[in-house]
Amino acid sequence: MNQPIAEISKETFWALIAQAKEYPSGPGEWLMERLMDLGPEQARRFDDFAHAYSSLADQYGLWTAASVMERGGCTDDGFMDFRTWLVAQGKEVYMAALKDPDSLVDAPDYQDQRFDCLPHMGDSAYKELTGRSTYEDFDPAQYRALKEELKKDIVYGEGIGYPYTWSETAAYLPKLCAKYMEANDLARLIGQRNDTWNVTSPEIQAARVTAQKSKKVKKERGDVR
């Protein structure tokens, strides 16, 4: 039997996500009711956790995984949605993906978005209880402190901060590429130079110079860095 929850913490945030998924006919409605029962402060806290976990997943290597699972590319807005989807998959999937994005080969297909609403329920419950959005009552200092605390539990995998081009993606994410992309599709993307990133962007160029890439890609390409 699930223990009653009195406040939102790391443990209870993930517990509520997991419990909500036990109600596939109405997981969002179930979660919203639970958060409304906890009151506005805890609903807002749930929203802070959801945003913090989403922000901590903002890594180029994971964006590359999203591009593969989208079968050929992922926009800025699309990656925001992807990270929300990732949080909704639960703690085990989330933590494994940040350690190794290729582990998402065992996750549900990203196009199955039945639970994507779950991380948004904190804001929905807060609006219902107060008539205001969590954005209006956002506390930046409190949020930064929470994000730093949550980051301590995350193990970022080797090379996850590197923006991989399509020519590097199969070596970095072999399992995801095998599952979601035909070999000729990947070859076509490489040949068209329709790359994962705008490689002329100063931000991308800087990341490709300063960030470490995965040893899997270095070995495949014979890189020395």
Side-chain angles (χ1 to χ4, degrees), residues 1-22:
M1 179 180 296
N2 294 321
Q3 295 295 318
I5 290 173
E7 63 180 10
I8 301 301
S9 64
K10 290 183 291 187
E11 292 75 18
T12 58
F13 173 84
W14 290 118
L16 283 169
I17 293 287
Q19 291 171 29
K21 293 171 70 174
E22 297 174 6

Side-chain angles (χ1 to χ4, degrees), residues 123-174:
D123 184 51
S124 297
Y126 191 79
K127 283 180 181 176
E128 190 70 21
L129 289 164
T130 68
R132 297 168 61 82
S133 72
T134 53
Y135 178 80
E136 292 176 90
D137 296 330
F138 179 66
D139 184 333
Q142 187 178 74
Y143 175 77
R144 285 194 298 270
L146 174 64
K147 189 174 171 181
E148 285 302 311
E149 181 63 27
L150 299 183
K151 187 176 181 179
K152 295 176 183 177
D153 297 330
I154 294 173
V155 178
Y156 288 111
E158 175 193 81
I160 198 170
Y162 188 86
Y164 300 92
T165 61
W166 281 124
S167 62
E168 300 165 320
T169 297
Y172 180 54
L173 302 171

Side-chain angles (χ1 to χ4, degrees), residues 24-163:
S25 62
E29 292 83 351
W30 180 89
L31 180 54
M32 185 168 175
E33 288 180 7
R34 300 290 80 71
L35 292 172
M36 289 181 66
D37 289 343
L38 289 173
E41 179 58 31
Q42 297 306 314
R44 185 176 67 82
R45 188 163 169 78
F46 183 94
D47 188 67
D48 282 347
F49 270 78
H51 278 90
Y53 278 123
S54 177
S55 179
L56 289 166
D58 189 2
Q59 300 288 328
Y60 285 123
L62 194 61
W63 200 331
T64 302
S67 296
V68 172
M69 295 176 78
E70 283 274 49
R71 283 79 165 174
C74 184
T75 65
D76 289 5
D77 288 344
F79 187 47
M80 290 177 65
D81 292 341
F82 181 87
R83 297 190 331 255
T84 299
W85 169 87
L86 181 61
V87 173
Q89 301 314 300
K91 182 178 181 180
E92 184 176 343
V93 173
Y94 175 89
M95 293 295 184
L98 288 174
K99 189 173 183 179
D100 178 11
D102 217 21
S103 68
L104 288 170
V105 71
D106 297 321
D109 191 329
Y110 172 53
Q111 295 181 351
D112 175 7
Q113 299 184 349
R114 286 177 298 165
F115 302 116
D116 282 17
C117 64
L118 298 182
H120 300 295
M121 287 301 103
D123 184 51
S124 297
Y126 191 79
K127 283 180 181 176
E128 190 70 21
L129 289 164
T130 68
R132 297 168 61 82
S133 72
T134 53
Y135 178 80
E136 292 176 90
D137 296 330
F138 179 66
D139 184 333
Q142 187 178 74
Y143 175 77
R144 285 194 298 270
L146 174 64
K147 189 174 171 181
E148 285 302 311
E149 181 63 27
L150 299 183
K151 187 176 181 179
K152 295 176 183 177
D153 297 330
I154 294 173
V155 178
Y156 288 111
E158 175 193 81
I160 198 170
Y162 188 86

